[in-house]
């Protein structure tokens, strides 16, 4: 057979081989190319607490244990009962894109998932499956690798303090008013401080109150003696309270 008749067939074979080589193949990664180094609500610089009924961002930090010849990662988080995506689904998805053409070994990858803690959930540790997908390409060799990790998500709850004034009417002279503080959140509050200011200024026997702890559902009453001058009769007295407390950060 003449060479001129073989050339089209050779060209066809080369094109077909080229096309087959470029088809992505999904392969489960042998071992793990990433390790989980942090799971927190909020951000690493500003962690926060969540409780039932809250919506917050979950941040997962990964560190690459080897060089990954890919700039893009798709991450899926399969959520257990009690947690949901912002669209109320059982799976959340996010994307990571490197500023380089690859992810060098030792790189830190930050994944962010907006999630909901369902109202009927309980505090505790929830285990979720994290699935990573990334493209592995060297010249015409293309494969999509997946690897799985299990992460622990802490729902610790959080305190929520509310303050009310039980008696709102006053009269000229010395009298007692009572503040009530209640923790209607889902976690312990501690190092509680209540500061009281008035406008116009009146005498009070207490300007600052400190309480060690307040359990979930617990309330305290704070009696305060005040003296209203007769010159303020018929006027409105504005009492301003500054309430601060501490909570355990994740």
């Amino acid at each position: 057979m003449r060479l001129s008749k073989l050339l089209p067939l050779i060209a066809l074979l080369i094109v077909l081989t080229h096309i087959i080589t470029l088809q992505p193949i999904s392969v489960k990664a042998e071992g793990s190319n990433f390790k989980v180094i942090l799971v927190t609500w909020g951000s690493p610089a500003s962690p926060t607490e969540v409780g039932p009924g809250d919506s917050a961002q979950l941040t997962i930090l990964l560190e690459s244990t080897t060089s990954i010849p890919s700039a893009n990662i798709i991450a899926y988080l399969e959520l257990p009962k009690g947690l949901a995506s912002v669209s109320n689904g059982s799976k959340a998805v996010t994307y990571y894109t490197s500023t380089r053409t690859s992810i060098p070994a030792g790189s830190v990858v930050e994944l962010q998932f907006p999630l909901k803690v369902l109202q009927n959930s309980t505090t505790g540790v929830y285990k979720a499956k994290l699935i990573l997908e990334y493209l592995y390409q060297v010249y015409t060799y293309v494969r999509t690798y997946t690897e799985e990790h299990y992460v622990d998500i802490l729902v610790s709850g959080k305190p929520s303090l509310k303050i009310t004034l039980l008696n709102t009417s006053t009269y000229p002279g010395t009298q007692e008013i009572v503040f009530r503080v209640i923790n209607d959140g889902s976690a312990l509050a501690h190092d509680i401080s209540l500061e009281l200011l008035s406008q116009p200024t009146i005498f009070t026997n207490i300007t600052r109150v400190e309480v060690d702890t307040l359990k979930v559902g617990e309330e305290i009453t704070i009696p305060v003696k005040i003296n209203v001058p007769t010159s303020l009769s018929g006027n409105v007295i504005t009492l301003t309270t500054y309430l601060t407390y501490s909570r355990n950060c994740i």
Side-chain angles (χ1 to χ4, degrees):
M1 184 179 295
R2 292 184 180 180
L3 181 60
S4 60
K5 294 183 178 181
L6 286 174
L7 284 177
L9 180 59
I10 293 173
L12 178 61
L13 288 175
I14 292 174
V15 171
L16 287 177
T17 302
H18 187 61
I19 291 174
I20 292 172
T21 305
L22 283 177
Q23 297 306 308
I25 302 173
S26 182
V27 179
K28 190 172 182 178
E30 294 293 335
S32 296
N33 293 323
F34 292 93
K35 63 179 180 181
V36 179
I37 59 175
L38 180 68
V39 180
T40 184
W41 293 102
S43 67
S46 182
T48 187
E49 295 171 314
V50 297
D54 287 337
S55 296
Q57 174 182 283
L58 182 76
T59 299
I60 300 177
L61 294 187
L62 307 172
E63 183 180 352
S64 58
T65 57
T66 185
S67 180
I68 309 296
S70 175
N72 302 303
I73 298 174
I74 305 176
Y76 302 93
L77 193 62
E78 295 184 354
L79 301 167
K81 186 178 179 180
L83 302 179
S85 68
V86 290
S87 59
N88 293 318
S90 60
K91 180 184 288 188
V93 61
T94 192
Y95 304 89
Y96 172 83
T97 300
S98 173
T99 56
R100 307 172 64 171
T101 57
S102 63
I103 302 174
S107 299
V108 175
V109 172
E110 182 172 322
L111 305 175
Q112 298 175 342
F113 297 92
L115 301 180
K116 290 181 179 179
V117 183
L118 301 184
Q119 188 66 52
N120 59 354
S121 64
T122 58
T123 58
V125 177
Y126 291 77
K127 190 173 292 290
K129 180 191 287 188
L130 176 66
I131 302 173
L132 306 176
E133 288 187 1
Y134 48 92
L135 198 66
Y136 190 99
Q137 180 173 356
V138 179
Y139 298 107
T140 58
Y141 177 82
V142 182
R143 285 191 177 183
T144 300
Y145 279 88
T146 63
E147 62 177 83
E148 298 177 358
H149 299 267
Y150 286 89
V151 296
D152 291 333
I153 303 173
L154 176 62
V155 176
S156 61
K158 63 181 182 182
S160 176
L161 301 188
K162 293 183 179 179
I163 183 170
T164 55
L165 180 61
L166 298 184
N167 46 332
T168 57
S169 61
T170 60
Y171 51 86
T174 301
Q175 59 211 277
E176 184 178 84
I177 59 175
V178 179
F179 291 94
R180 181 178 66 180
V181 181
I182 184 172
N183 181 4
D184 64 353
S186 53
L188 178 76
H190 56 93
D191 298 332
I192 303 163
S193 176
L194 173 65
E195 186 176 359
L196 178 65
L197 299 176
S198 64
Q199 182 62 39
T201 302
I202 60 174
F203 169 80
T204 62
N205 69 327
I206 296 175
T207 57
R208 187 182 184 92
V209 178
E210 295 183 352
V211 181
D212 288 336
T213 60
L214 200 59
K215 298 177 182 178
V216 176
E218 186 179 9
E219 67 177 61
I220 56 172
T221 55
I222 304 173
V224 179
K225 285 186 178 180
I226 64 173
N227 183 276
V228 181
T230 55
S231 59
L232 295 179
S233 179
N235 292 319
V236 175
I237 300 173
T238 302
L239 298 176
T240 304
T241 57
Y242 294 92
L243 184 66
T244 60
Y245 58 92
S246 300
R247 59 187 187 185
N248 295 323
C249 286
I250 300 172

